[in-house]
Amino acid sequence: MTGAPASAAGGSGATPATRGGKLGGAAVNQAGLWNIANILTMVRLLLVPGFVVLLLHDGGYDPVWRSFAWAAFAVAMITDVFDGHLARAYNLVTDFGKIADPIADKAIMGAALICLSSLGDLPWWITGVILFRELGITLMRFWVIRHSVIPASRGGKVKTLAQGIAVGMYVLALTGPLATMRFWVMMVAVVLTVVTGLDYVRQAVVLRRRGLAAERAAALEAVAAAADVRAPAGTRFATDDVGGTAGAAAESVVEPAAESVREPVGERVAGSRGAAEAER
């Protein structure tokens, strides 16, 4: 839902949109809290308690009320897609969005899973696996955020789609073949949840190692530069004539270290919500 990475890539303002934007730069792109992406996120947050009330109304087994609950769940999933698209398209970046968007994503899915398990419609182990994965990956993003952002994969997007379809089918009061089908759709979602979760763990470990290596290389370069600045000019010239300098020695250590951690520019993904949104 993941996350992602969007309207919360960072900062509290936004740059003006170019002329001819899809919804008009002046109408959509606003620097403050009240921009369209954040409003959709807040709508999604407000839908969570409403969804729970509708799903559990009259004991949770009334097909009509469960249809209303499904409609609220569907609206939440749709707004999840649109707020990320608008945020990326118009650079609507706010600190509120960074925090609220992943909370809204996890809240609607978590509420649906817990309610369905409490009603006996969905096994608790499925709810546990999905929630453990989602919360764990969110914490892992914060673990490596100082070094880089975990880029969302295509598998993560498919996982989110499979989860949404499966949970939506369980929210509806289905019977017969459709009730059997929803179980297998949920199994596909669970498998994707586990596989993509393990892949995110691998990416987090790699990114953290690269970040630590880059910090060490930068520290070595700083030490070498400081030593070169403090050395007397005559000493530098003399050692240059001989061909062996402290700076050269430091460079011979620093340059391979720095070279080993250099990455292609394309591997960097800017903004924490950008990664979260990409997963959707």
Side-chain angles (χ1 to χ4, degrees):
M1 306 215 96
T2 196
S7 74
S12 59
T15 57
T18 57
R19 291 183 179 272
K22 293 180 181 179
L23 298 181
V28 177
N29 192 30
Q30 300 179 24
L33 173 66
W34 297 100
N35 62 61
I36 186 64
N38 284 347
I39 290 173
L40 290 177
T41 298
M42 287 185 275
V43 168
R44 199 158 72 256
L45 282 169
L46 294 174
L47 279 172
V48 175
F51 164 77
V52 172
V53 170
L54 292 171
L55 181 59
L56 300 181
H57 183 79
D58 197 18
Y61 297 104
D62 189 319
V64 175
W65 286 100
R66 292 190 69 151
S67 297
F68 292 152
W70 177 87
F73 182 80
V75 170
M77 293 294 99
I78 293 172
T79 58
D80 186 19
V81 174
F82 276 102
D83 67 353
H85 172 74
L86 292 172
R88 288 190 299 270
Y90 298 100
N91 192 26
L92 301 176
V93 286
T94 65
D95 291 334
F96 171 82
K98 277 195 224 178
I99 300 172
D101 183 70
I103 291 176
D105 298 341
K106 303 301 181 291
I108 188 67
M109 185 61 68
L113 291 168
I114 292 172
C115 288
L116 290 170
S117 292
S118 66
L119 291 172
D121 293 343
L122 188 67
W124 276 105
W125 71 266
I126 293 179
T127 296
V129 168
I130 294 177
L131 292 184
F132 178 80
R133 187 269 190 196
E134 298 300 334
L135 295 176
I137 295 304
T138 299
L139 294 175
M140 190 161 293
R141 288 185 186 278
F142 285 107
W143 182 54
V144 301
I145 197 170
R146 60 173 291 193
H147 304 295
S148 184
V149 175
I150 303 177
S153 63
R154 185 180 299 274
K157 298 177 183 179
V158 176
K159 179 270 303 179
T160 301
L161 178 62
Q163 282 185 0
I165 293 174
V167 171
M169 293 179 73
Y170 270 89
V171 170
L172 289 171
L174 300 178
T175 58
L178 289 177
T180 302
M181 181 187 300
R182 70 183 181 182
F183 172 79
W184 293 109
V185 175
M186 180 60 76
M187 288 302 98
V188 171
V190 170
V191 170
L192 290 172
T193 297
V194 173
V195 172
T196 57
L198 294 175
D199 183 59
Y200 276 118
V201 171
R202 179 191 62 79
Q203 291 184 61
V205 171
V206 171
L207 288 174
R208 182 172 173 83
R209 286 177 178 173
R210 288 177 178 175
L212 293 174
E215 288 179 355
R216 287 194 294 267
L220 287 173
E221 288 179 345
V223 170
D228 188 57
V229 168
R230 286 197 298 267
T235 304
R236 289 200 298 272
F237 292 147
T239 54
D240 285 344
D241 294 336
V242 174
T245 68
E251 184 178 352
S252 66
V253 175
V254 173
E255 185 60 25
E259 195 67 30
S260 65
V261 298
R262 283 178 185 156
E263 302 173 327
V265 175
E267 291 183 7
R268 289 289 183 180
V269 180
S272 59
R273 185 169 172 184
E277 292 294 346
E279 187 175 335
R280 294 166 199 144

